[in-house]
Amino acid sequence: MKNSHHDIVIIGGGIIGGAIAYYCAKAGLDITVLEKNELASGTSSRCDGNILAIDKDPGFDSQMSLVSQRLVHELNRELDMSFEYRNPGSILVCESELEMEAAQQWVNRQQEAGLDFTMLDREDLRNESKYFADDLYGGLECKTDSTVNPYMLTFSMFHSAEKLGAKIKKHTEVKNIKKQPDDTFSLETNEGWITANKVINACGIWAPFIGQMLSVDIPIKPRKGHILVASRQEPVGLRKVMEFGYLISKFGGERKVDADIEKYGVALVFEPTEAQNFLIGSSREFVGFDTKVNHDVAKMIARRAVRFYPKIADMSIIRTYAGLRPWTEDHLPIICEVEEVPGFYIAAGHEGDGISLAAVTGKLIQELLQHKDSCIPTEPVHLSRFQKGVLHE
């Protein structure tokens, strides 16, 4: 690869890079992917696998999620490798009358935006799972939500992209990038220098470091989250469940929980896998690039899970892991060409929605590269919203 020239280089071999590679290769573009480690070895390997609209703010956020859901549904038919796609919908559960009132308002707003949301009462929860706590008030559901194996979806998109002509270079780290007078880019890697016409930064939490190489400020911070993996004993539930407080935690509101739960942003997230194990989360904290498991936080997550599912208290935990989510101030990704550096694109900052929004991100980057009409409005996800101080509401 030394001193070779490439048309479009994607930096990053996670699910975002995989989606961009697939949609661009499918459109006939000449794609080369550079990944410093193995594919799906970063955030894409330390997450759950949900394609959700239930936790998205009504309006642009939820509409973007709907587009991505439709694209993933199509990918299930298009891609050669199965990625454990299921479409069971998801649930938010409430533990107070106050939360039920807020949930009703959330459902009303989503329905006004055209989404398939409905309220659930106590009896609905009992019918959903015998493991739910008896004192839960009810909740809401979104019927379009789906789930995937994030590893397999990433590998599947890269596999199909390669078959369509994309070149994937693993263990190839980008150490420096320079913009040349002829508007091409020179990239220094551990394998030598290469040149490219266009560069796409799909590096997630590392995107700001790539941006610095071209003097582009990318306002992304790593936000740590823990997940527990419980062994299969009996099927606790068939679809994704979150507490309504998860929304409050996600968007920075205050909940009536103890100080430690609030400090670490712990809120119930329950997800059954195709293998009948289940994942339990979640937490949210800013601790730099530390991915070590904090066992105190893991205990809080377990305690929160038992509050909603008392009968799982004796079930075994197989393992616990922590990952870093690329956070932005307004909880929306950055997907655009950088105006100050033509030919340099960013596709990062999805926080915990990278799996959900990978497909729509890949599709949008392909459309931007080919100057085609975009599948979603581009202004809310443009870098300039931070530079202008106008964030999406």
Side-chain angles (χ1 to χ4, degrees), residues 41-211:
S41 59
T43 298
S44 299
S45 67
R46 297 169 176 264
C47 60
D48 53 22
N50 300 294
I51 317 293
L52 300 180
I54 198 168
D55 62 342
K56 305 301 185 294
D57 209 22
F60 173 78
D61 303 35
S62 56
Q63 294 299 327
M64 176 171 56
S65 297
L66 273 183
V67 173
S68 210
Q69 286 181 343
R70 294 185 192 115
L71 289 170
V72 173
H73 189 71
E74 293 171 6
L75 289 175
N76 188 49
R77 295 194 304 266
E78 292 177 11
L79 300 180
D80 293 338
M81 292 173 56
S82 169
F83 51 88
E84 298 179 7
Y85 174 77
R86 292 175 289 130
N87 186 209
S90 63
I91 296 175
L92 284 169
V93 292
C94 300
E95 54 177 338
S96 69
E97 282 286 1
L98 200 62
E99 285 190 356
M100 284 294 282
E101 291 172 10
Q104 183 66 68
Q105 294 173 11
W106 187 258
V107 166
N108 292 345
R109 290 174 63 202
Q110 297 284 12
Q111 288 177 341
E112 288 168 7
L115 280 83
D116 193 357
F117 276 60
T118 54
M119 289 294 293
L120 304 173
D121 59 22
R122 287 181 191 267
E123 192 61 32
D124 292 324
L125 292 189
R126 291 192 188 99
N127 291 333
E128 183 73 28
S129 173
K130 66 181 181 180
Y131 287 89
F132 274 131
D134 292 333
D135 64 342
L136 296 177
Y137 280 68
L140 62 101
E141 68 176 339
C142 175
K143 295 176 182 175
T144 62
D145 287 350
S146 55
T147 183
V148 301
N149 181 319
Y151 282 105
M152 295 309 299
L153 179 53
T154 305
F155 295 146
S156 186
M157 288 190 292
F158 275 122
H159 173 75
S160 290
E162 260 192 313
K163 287 183 67 175
L164 291 165
K167 295 172 283 294
I168 299 171
K169 309 293 183 182
K170 296 185 289 185
H171 303 287
T172 305
E173 181 177 0
V174 175
K175 296 179 175 294
N176 197 12
I177 309 174
K178 296 179 179 178
K179 189 75 185 286
Q180 299 301 323
D182 64 356
D183 272 348
T184 63
F185 296 86
S186 291
L187 293 84
E188 181 188 5
T189 78
N190 57 310
E191 297 290 330
W193 285 87
I194 65 170
T195 57
N197 295 327
K198 295 177 181 178
V199 173
I200 302 167
N201 177 359
C203 294
I205 58 171
W206 306 105
F209 295 93
I210 298 297

Side-chain angles (χ1 to χ4, degrees), residues 287-348:
V287 288
F289 290 84
D290 173 26
T291 58
K292 292 179 182 176
V293 170
N294 182 328
H295 293 288
D296 290 334
V297 174
K299 289 175 185 176
M300 290 179 215
I301 292 171
R303 194 168 77 240
R304 199 66 187 154
V306 171
R307 184 269 171 270
F308 288 89
Y309 293 101
K311 297 174 186 174
I312 71 170
D314 296 328
M315 291 189 179
S316 301
I317 298 295
I318 300 172
R319 65 188 179 102
T320 304
Y321 57 89
L324 301 174
R325 325 308 189 204
W327 174 90
T328 67
E329 185 180 348
D330 63 355
H331 307 284
L332 286 176
I334 302 167
I335 313 169
C336 67
E337 182 177 12
V338 177
E339 293 170 356
E340 296 80 6
V341 189
F344 181 57
Y345 296 75
I346 302 169

